[in-house]
Structure formats: structure tokens, C-alpha cells
Amino acid sequence: MPDAATRPAMLRVAGLNAWYGESHVLHGVDLEVRDGEVVTLLGRNGAGKTTTMKSVMGIVGRRSGSIAFEGQETISWPSNRIARAGIAFCPEERGIFSSLDVHENLMLPPEVKPGGLSLERIFALFPNLRERLRSQGTKLSGGEQQMLAIARILRTGARLLLLDEPTEGLAPVIIQQIGETIRSLKREGFTILLVEQNFRFAATVADRHYVMEHGRVVDMIENDRLEASMDKLHDYLGV
Ligand code: ATP
């Protein structure tokens, strides 16, 4: 595989603005995710990270600017067309159906493209889910729900995964497992954009990091520069 820097952009966001009703939330977001990369969006609460993901997915009220996926402009596309192009979103609230069991939750999203992972490959990535196949959504731990939420979008055939704070509220040992999963997904060839508050975790999975403030990307840090950028990061994130 060519070096990341020379790979084509799978997702290119330029001058992206977004609104919820009258509220103008994104003010010209610029970022790029190359084929096969894991890239994070870091930033304080309210910086616009989730809204950026929802904009890529076409599920915010109004957007302007450019969101190109595999070279095609998607800014005017409805969300179902964006999903069929091969982008999947795993929301922070996970969206597991509590009255359905693990298998039913897994089978729920439609296949949008050929090339999705089979259940066997999904269980190889998430052995717990096989053991819990007939457990209802309500019976799962937070970590199992998060694994299920990620597993569910792997069946669809999407190649760009938007993961919104997958580690939130989880114990350190589960966070480690999520990290291993993300590294495996990268090895499988998935491209991942990840919202994270926890930059120590982000450093273990990502190639690059974008920092957002007040609805804009204000910095980009290569992962191997993260350690050297700690002072700056503490300022950005207020931690
Ligand atoms: P967090 O980690 O808190 O989710 P974030 O960086 O993901 O932070 P967003 O959720 O994108 O931030 O929110 C950006 C801004 O948009 C915030 O000021 C937030 O209050 C506002 N906002 C988010 N969702 C809505 C909504 N549905 N309606 C109106 N305003 C919203």
C-alpha cells in the first residue's frame, strides 16, 4: 500500500457550514481522510465534532460547502444516498434496540453495498457477541452495546466508518478492546473518522488528529507529533 500521504482522499470536506434551525454551528470546516487512514476529531464539548459527522452523513438541518466522498460531491445528497455510497455512522448513543437480541440488532441495517463483513468475520472481531447472540439489548453491558453498535455497521458494506466517541463511559479494559478492534478494522482496510475526547486513547489508534474549536478545524497533528504537542493539546482541550 502506498504511503498514507500519497493516498487519495476518500473524504474531503471543504468550507463546510451547518445549522440547526437558526443556530449556525459549523463555520467552514476543512478536513481530509485518506483511504485506509484512522483520523480523529478532537476538541472540547460543543466544538462541532458530532455535527461534522452528522453533516457528512447528511443528517443535520442545513449544510453548505463541499463534502466529497471518493471524488463525488455529496453536499446535496439525501442521507440514504450517502449511506448507499458506503458511509456508515455509529452514534454516541449507540442506538441498540433494547427489545431485540444481539442477532436481530446485527441483522437490522440493510446491506448497502457488496463487500460487507459476514457474521463469521464479525464474530472473529467480536467474540463476545457470538456468546451473547440471543441476549436482549437491555441485558448487554455498555461495552457490549458499543461493540454491537460498531459490528452492526460492518455488515452493510460501508468502507468509511464514522465512530462518535466509542470509548465514552467505558472501563479502561473495555477501552483497550475497542482500541484493538479499531486497529483490526484498519488492517481489514476500513477507513475511520473517530470523535474522541480521550487523546491518550486516540494516540493508540490514529494516524492523524484534527482539533476543532468553535465550529472550525484549527489544527492538524500527525500522530507521531502528538507527544511533542502535549502543551498545545492541553490548551485546546482544557484538560
Ligand atoms: P460533544 O462532545 O458535547 O458532543 P461536539 O464537539 O460533538 O461536542 P456538537 O455536538 O457538534 O459538539 O455541538 C456543536 C454545537 O451545536 C453546540 O453548541 C451544541 O449545543 C449545538 N447543537 C448540537 N446539537 C444540536 C441540536 N440538535 N440543536 C441545536 N443545537 C445543537
Side-chain angles (χ1 to χ4, degrees), residues 21-42:
E22 292 299 302
S23 175
H24 188 177
V25 172
L26 299 185
H27 300 268
V29 172
D30 298 310
L31 61 86
E32 225 177 74
V33 185
R34 298 181 203 114
D35 195 359
E37 271 191 314
V38 177
V39 171
T40 67
L41 293 179
L42 302 172

Side-chain angles (χ1 to χ4, degrees), residues 3 14 18 20 39 56 69 125 138 157 187 192 198 230:
D3 180 56
Y20 293 108
V39 171
V56 171
F69 177 62
L125 284 167
T138 40
R187 281 195 298 274
I192 298 175
N198 178 346
M230 275 304 153

Side-chain angles (χ1 to χ4, degrees), residues 1-237:
M1 191 173 264
D3 180 56
T6 62
R7 269 180 246 153
M10 180 178 243
L11 178 73
R12 179 173 288 139
V13 174
L16 174 66
N17 282 257
W19 291 259
Y20 293 108
E22 292 299 302
S23 175
H24 188 177
V25 172
L26 299 185
H27 300 268
V29 172
D30 298 310
L31 61 86
E32 225 177 74
V33 185
R34 298 181 203 114
D35 195 359
E37 271 191 314
V38 177
V39 171
T40 67
L41 293 179
L42 302 172
R44 296 184 192 212
N45 285 337
K49 306 179 298 294
T50 298
T51 306
T52 299
M53 284 198 165
K54 287 186 172 171
S55 298
V56 171
M57 211 58 230
I59 53 175
V60 296
R62 187 153 70 87
R63 304 164 297 162
S64 73
S66 171
I67 303 176
F69 177 62
E70 295 183 327
Q72 283 194 293
E73 182 55 66
T74 69
I75 194 82
S76 61
W77 291 8
S79 54
N80 60 351
R81 187 167 173 201
I82 294 170
R84 282 202 307 274
I87 307 180
F89 176 50
C90 185
E92 193 176 352
E93 61 276 13
R94 298 171 190 148
I96 300 305
F97 288 88
S98 54
S99 59
L100 302 183
D101 67 21
V102 166
H103 185 253
E104 289 165 332
N105 267 287
L106 269 176
M107 299 310 285
L108 211 56
E111 284 180 47
V112 293
K113 281 194 111 165
L117 298 194
S118 65
L119 285 184
E120 273 316 303
R121 282 174 75 202
I122 288 177
F123 294 143
L125 284 167
F126 304 97
N128 283 11
L129 293 184
R130 189 202 298 274
E131 286 163 29
R132 305 286 267 140
L133 205 55
R134 294 298 161 199
S135 301
Q136 252 184 290
T138 40
K139 301 275 163 42
L140 303 179
S141 67
E144 287 168 336
Q145 287 189 18
Q146 184 61 61
M147 304 280 183
L148 177 54
I150 297 174
R152 194 165 59 172
I153 59 174
L154 303 178
R155 265 192 61 254
T156 63
R159 300 308 294 166
L160 173 62
L161 311 179
L162 310 176
L163 308 181
D164 196 352
E165 290 207 49
T167 64
E168 205 201 0
L170 301 179
V173 56
I174 311 293
I175 293 179
Q176 259 181 22
Q177 284 177 22
I178 304 258
E180 276 159 32
T181 305
I182 291 173
R183 288 188 290 274
S184 304
L185 293 176
K186 181 181 162 85
R187 281 195 298 274
E188 296 257 354
F190 286 96
T191 303
I192 298 175
L193 181 62
L194 181 74
V195 166
E196 254 311 321
Q197 298 274 2
N198 178 346
F199 62 81
R200 300 214 173 273
F201 169 77
T204 66
V205 294
D207 297 297
R208 295 186 297 124
H209 312 271
Y210 285 106
V211 182
M212 290 194 73
E213 266 182 358
H214 309 302
R216 286 189 186 87
V217 168
V218 294
D219 208 346
M220 194 279 283
I221 304 173
E222 298 281 351
N223 198 46
D224 56 10
R225 297 287 307 151
L226 202 67
E227 242 356 272
S229 311
M230 275 304 153
D231 288 350
K232 197 162 69 164
L233 263 181
H234 283 294
D235 282 348
Y236 283 138
L237 305 178

